[in-house]
Amino acid sequence: QVQLVESGGGLVQPGGSLRLSCVASTSIFKMYAMAWYRQAPGKQRELVADITAGGITTYAESVKSRFTISRDNNKNTVYLQMNSLRPEDTAVYYCNLNYPGATFPGPSWGQGTQVTVSS
């Protein structure tokens, strides 16, 4: 199974920015679709953004125009640039890997990285 390792979380003030990274242990990373999920305390895990192998992106309504998902196939890495952060963005963020054309979530998850937005 593919291993996923997230990094980049932390504490940030409202209005600030963070960039999350997720590195995948696979030589065929470029073939997979990737996504970021988040889970806040007491809430279900939700899809934040996803990107296909071809680079097509989709976003949850709550993060559109603030978050950007991207990928670097040479580094086996997917990113989530988060701008204009709000307290309601506080959650554990998880990276997810999926087979081409399949419905998310896919079979592989990272361990998660905590994002806390607070003054």
Side-chain angles (χ1 to χ4, degrees):
Q1 188 162 349
V2 177
Q3 302 297 314
L4 302 173
V5 179
E6 301 105 331
S7 61
L11 174 64
V12 63
Q13 291 187 342
S17 298
L18 282 174
R19 188 177 81 156
L20 306 183
S21 300
C22 170
V23 180
S25 63
T26 172
S27 60
I28 55 171
F29 173 78
K30 64 181 180 181
M31 297 183 65
Y32 291 108
M34 300 296 298
W36 287 97
Y37 282 75
R38 68 185 180 186
Q39 188 167 20
K43 294 188 176 181
Q44 289 192 330
R45 194 172 295 190
E46 64 172 349
L47 178 62
V48 175
D50 65 79
I51 183 167
T52 67
I56 298 171
T57 59
T58 57
Y59 297 92
E61 282 296 324
S62 60
V63 306
K64 274 185 180 178
S65 77
R66 299 190 298 123
F67 290 10
T68 302
I69 188 172
S70 61
R71 63 191 299 158
D72 185 338
N73 292 334
N74 292 323
K75 296 182 178 180
N76 288 1
T77 301
V78 62
Y79 302 98
L80 186 68
Q81 177 67 45
M82 305 185 295
N83 298 328
S84 302
L85 282 162
R86 304 167 180 170
E88 54 263 39
D89 295 318
T90 295
V92 178
Y93 284 71
Y94 297 91
C95 178
N96 182 252
L97 176 146
N98 205 3
Y99 302 113
T103 301
F104 277 102
S108 297
W109 293 94
Q111 82 287 355
T113 185
Q114 177 71 47
V115 172
T116 302
V117 184
S118 175
S119 55

